[in-house]
Amino acid sequence: HSWDGATFPPPLRGTVPPIWVAAQGPKACGITGRYADGWIHIHQDFKAWMTSAERVAEGAESAGKDPEFMTRSLSILGVLVSSEEMYQRACASEVVRALVLTLPGSAWTAAGASHPFGDDFAGTSSKELHFFEADRFAESNQAVTPEVLRRLMPCGPAEEVAEYMEQFIRHGVSHVVVLNVAMAGGVRVA
């Protein structure tokens, strides 16, 4: 890609903006390390993040870059609520259950659960669009129980979710984006 002729608002005028790439798989992480200024990881669990982070670092080192200078970002789904009652209401929401069903089968497996669409379900990157039909979601959302949800993503008060994220921060994450799915389910959190 070429930035020739592109215009940017100040303070980027005359410079190339930093490029951040969302990458999960081994090849994409290696390419990200070689060419990007920042890396965005879509949360599955800490072990998956560490594996991907190692591949990003290897890619950076192969290009003669110091991987410590790369910006690391984490995008994470969570259920931030202040009480168990609010948590149960969020778990009962069809919207929250549908969002959780879009997670890949590998995330469910890592959490010790079986995805109703199969362990090899690719999540939102699936090319099999029949997974995303309303009837399929409606019959499969019963698999999203409060217990399974707690294993798939951080849940609870903001302090507990922040405590969970500390392990990522200790290992180099400098930006965190939390999508509170409780709000998507119509649960007022404040």
Side-chain angles (χ1 to χ4, degrees):
H1 184 80
S2 171
W3 291 101
D4 292 340
T7 59
F8 303 101
L12 295 176
R13 191 164 285 140
T15 66
V16 175
I19 306 297
W20 289 22
V21 176
Q24 302 288 105
K27 185 175 180 181
C29 285
I31 292 169
T32 297
R34 282 195 296 281
Y35 298 106
D37 302 300
W39 168 52
I40 305 166
H41 181 81
I42 311 301
H43 176 264
Q44 287 185 6
D45 63 15
F46 183 69
K47 183 179 175 183
W49 183 87
M50 285 296 294
T51 299
S52 294
E54 290 169 8
R55 291 179 177 137
V56 170
E58 291 167 2
E61 290 167 351
S62 75
K65 296 167 46 179
D66 183 346
E68 295 304 312
F69 287 105
M70 176 173 270
T71 303
R72 293 178 182 95
S73 177
L74 177 66
S75 178
I76 190 166
L77 295 175
V79 180
L80 281 74
V81 291
S82 59
S83 71
E84 184 63 23
E85 177 204 349
M86 291 175 82
Y87 177 70
Q88 293 296 328
R89 284 184 26 221
C91 291
S93 162
E94 288 190 25
V95 173
V96 170
R97 290 177 176 190
L99 283 169
V100 174
L101 287 173
T102 66
L103 295 173
S106 59
W108 284 62
T109 300
S114 295
H115 199 298
F117 299 160
D119 293 340
D120 59 345
F121 175 63
T124 56
S125 62
S126 177
K127 293 178 177 74
E128 298 181 49
L129 297 179
H130 69 276
F131 284 121
F132 300 104
E133 294 171 355
D135 292 343
R136 185 100 188 234
F137 269 88
E139 71 183 46
S140 299
N141 74 8
Q142 299 306 310
V144 183
T145 65
E147 296 76 26
V148 168
L149 187 59
R150 280 190 206 279
R151 295 193 324 245
L152 285 166
M153 62 184 63
C155 302
E159 298 81 19
E160 289 179 21
V161 174
E163 186 178 306
Y164 170 78
M165 290 186 294
E166 284 179 13
Q167 62 191 328
F168 296 93
I169 294 166
R170 281 193 308 273
H171 286 87
V173 168
S174 57
H175 293 84
V176 177
V177 177
V178 179
L179 172 61
N180 186 1
V181 299
M183 293 173 63
V187 175
R188 288 194 60 165
V189 295

